Amino acid sequence: MHPKTALKRKDWLWEKYCANKTLTPDQFIERVKAIYYQYDAPLYNPGYEHSLRKKFIDFFSNINESGRDIIDIGAGTGEGLKLVKACAYNYGQYFYVEPFKVMIDQCDQLDDSVIVVNGYIEDLSTILQRNPSNQPRIYIISAVLRTIELPPINSLPRVTYN
């Protein structure tokens, strides 16, 4: 909710900025996102994957088991995938979850080991439930949580540490 009102963020934005009130708040937000991803996102922080390279290498070098599935939520133009490939981590399947096709089309790293899910985090319930080996998975969530208004907390797996 917006701190100064009792409205959800999307409702506050719709109320304050939407000139066409025939649109619902959800439709307005989807149009704003579509315009952002079409025009601004490709220019957003160019080369930022370079600043994350060492962190990815450190993280993946500390994983003892290879073959874990990776779920990249908000995969964008594929920076996370590039970083994982640069680490030479031998993953099982790579789930590339991105709701905007214009972003997916900019990824030059897609191959047969990558499963593209053209959808939102809410569309993950079938993927999250399908884990025959019951092996731990690796989740990449980079610059995404700020865009989720009501995360489906109950459908996400619980993480426990021993």
Side-chain angles (χ1 to χ4, degrees):
M1 300 218 178
H2 190 271
K4 295 182 180 178
T5 70
L7 295 174
K8 290 181 182 174
R9 180 178 57 215
K10 69 179 174 187
D11 297 322
W12 181 83
L13 289 168
W14 175 84
E15 198 172 274
K16 185 154 178 78
Y17 296 106
C18 184
N20 180 358
K21 297 298 188 200
T22 62
L23 296 174
T24 67
D26 287 330
Q27 291 169 328
F28 173 69
I29 292 300
E30 288 307 310
R31 288 195 181 181
V32 169
K33 286 180 185 177
I35 290 167
Y36 168 77
Y37 283 110
Q38 184 175 358
Y39 297 108
D40 290 338
L43 305 174
Y44 181 73
N45 214 2
Y48 84 88
E49 71 270 5
H50 178 71
S51 66
L52 295 174
R53 184 177 297 266
K54 182 176 178 354
K55 291 178 182 176
F56 269 67
I57 290 170
D58 290 347
F59 175 80
F60 281 99
S61 67
N62 286 309
I63 297 176
N64 297 328
E65 289 183 43
S66 66
R68 291 187 180 178
D69 289 347
I70 296 176
I71 300 176
D72 189 349
I73 299 171
T77 58
E79 289 79 10
L81 180 57
K82 288 177 197 171
L83 288 165
V84 171
K85 287 185 175 188
C87 296
Y89 178 74
N90 185 24
Y91 55 84
Q93 293 180 310
Y94 194 104
F95 293 94
Y96 187 100
V97 182
E98 173 56 47
F100 293 95
K101 188 165 176 0
V102 69
M103 299 297 277
I104 297 168
D105 291 345
Q106 295 177 55
C107 180
D108 59 0
Q109 300 291 311
L110 299 176
D111 57 36
D112 291 339
S113 69
V114 179
I115 298 169
V116 175
V117 179
N118 185 207
Y120 293 93
I121 190 172
E122 295 86 356
D123 302 320
L124 288 177
S125 60
T126 55
I127 293 171
L128 295 174
Q129 292 168 1
R130 185 180 50 188
N131 188 3
S133 67
N134 206 24
Q135 183 181 30
R137 292 171 161 170
I138 299 166
Y139 290 84
I140 299 173
I141 305 174
S142 180
V144 171
L145 294 178
R146 64 181 170 74
T147 67
I148 301 170
E149 180 137 10
L150 296 170
I153 299 300
N154 293 333
S155 66
L156 294 176
R158 292 191 183 271
V159 178
T160 56
Y161 299 95
N162 296 330

